[in-house]
Amino acid sequence: MADVAVQSEGRSSGIVINDDWPGYSLDLFNYPAHYSGDLDCVIIPHGVIMDRTERLARNIMDDLGDHDIVVLCVLKGGYQFCADLVDRIKALSRNSNRTIPMRVHFIRLKSYLNDQSTEDLHIVGAEDLSFLAGKNVLVVEAIVGTGKTMQTLLKHVEAFRPKMIKVAGLLVKRVPHNSPCLPDYVGFEIPNRFVVGYALDYNEYFRDLNHICAISESGKTKYKI
């Protein structure tokens, strides 16, 4: 990715993509033809996502190796990131003296209508998380914006008395009034743009897009409900 647009801010902040980053031209990549006209640009190519995910897996191994953990995957947007992250942790475990025995549990959060986050947060599959008591928990989320949703989820999880909670977030969006509740492991810090792809959706569309892209205004109109 271009040096003028992207900089590394170390392990905690992830790779910072500047506000003036124009993205990559769609002509440089393959993407489903049915989304022609619905996207502005590619923000993060799939290959870059994969490389960054492997680095996060190594960081998690360094910190949590030899600890049993319960991976709490936040659906629906987090399923692809979680699957790839878990695969890379397993691959590292096979080739290391340190291993991470893992169990994976799925919960679903829903707080968006079209491209706007709402105050009405639904948590599905988290009614009884009593099995987390005394466990090391790794919450895996695709994107964190204001942090309010994550704060609500962590408060809910903490009520079941886990031993430790860590959060891995592929994307952290720079938005007004960011909460200090940021992930422990961050893939990328991105501008305040609505992004889709790599399982992130707009009204259930674009989950089948490999790259993380900026949706166009015509795309928003086309799929608005």
Side-chain angles (χ1 to χ4, degrees):
M1 300 175 79
D3 291 339
V4 295
V6 182
Q7 61 190 50
S8 173
E9 290 294 338
R11 180 161 163 174
S12 59
S13 299
I15 296 174
V16 178
I17 300 177
N18 294 337
D19 289 338
D20 58 356
W21 168 235
Y24 293 103
S25 169
L26 293 165
D27 294 335
L28 298 173
F29 299 91
N30 290 320
Y31 66 96
H34 51 264
Y35 292 136
S36 179
D38 301 333
L39 303 167
D40 277 338
C41 63
V42 174
I43 299 294
I44 311 174
H46 184 257
V48 178
I49 299 170
M50 294 296 95
D51 282 354
R52 182 62 184 150
T53 300
E54 182 171 354
R55 177 70 262 185
L56 294 180
R58 290 180 181 276
N59 291 346
I60 291 168
M61 278 289 293
D62 289 343
D63 293 345
L64 304 180
D66 299 327
H67 289 276
D68 288 21
I69 63 171
V70 178
V71 176
L72 206 57
C73 175
V74 180
L75 300 173
K76 294 183 182 177
Y79 80 81
Q80 191 64 64
F81 174 49
C82 184
D84 289 334
L85 183 65
V86 167
D87 278 348
R88 276 146 184 79
I89 292 173
K90 290 193 296 185
L92 291 170
S93 293
R94 288 194 297 267
N95 296 286
S96 171
N97 292 327
R98 306 181 72 196
T99 61
I100 300 184
M102 290 181 293
R103 288 188 293 158
V104 181
H105 184 78
F106 300 91
I107 61 173
R108 184 182 176 189
L109 304 183
K110 184 172 177 60
S111 62
Y112 271 85
L113 179 63
N114 296 317
D115 62 344
Q116 298 297 315
S117 181
T118 69
E119 296 295 326
D120 191 15
L121 175 66
H122 298 280
I123 305 178
V124 181
E127 294 83 1
D128 182 12
L129 298 177
S130 56
F131 62 91
L132 297 180
K135 299 293 193 303
N136 300 301
V137 179
L138 177 67
V139 178
V140 179
E141 171 67 291
I143 186 166
V144 176
T146 63
K148 292 180 180 178
T149 299
M150 183 57 64
Q151 279 186 315
T152 301
L153 174 60
L154 292 181
K155 185 176 180 180
H156 183 76
V157 172
E158 286 168 358
F160 295 95
R161 299 177 180 271
K163 180 179 179 181
M164 175 184 66
I165 305 176
K166 296 285 187 180
V167 179
L170 178 63
L171 306 175
V172 170
K173 188 183 292 188
R174 287 190 301 276
V175 297
H177 313 300
N178 262 105
S179 162
C181 183
L182 294 176
D184 302 283
Y185 308 99
V186 178
F188 304 88
E189 182 185 303
I190 64 172
N192 188 16
R193 302 181 68 179
F194 196 89
V195 295
V196 294
Y198 194 64
L200 294 169
D201 76 304
Y202 178 81
N203 294 329
E204 297 300 327
Y205 292 93
F206 302 101
R207 295 195 194 276
D208 54 342
L209 182 63
N210 283 338
H211 314 294
I212 293 177
C213 300
I215 188 173
S216 66
E217 289 303 318
S218 60
K220 290 179 183 179
T221 301
K222 180 178 179 180
Y223 299 111
K224 187 175 183 179
I225 59 175

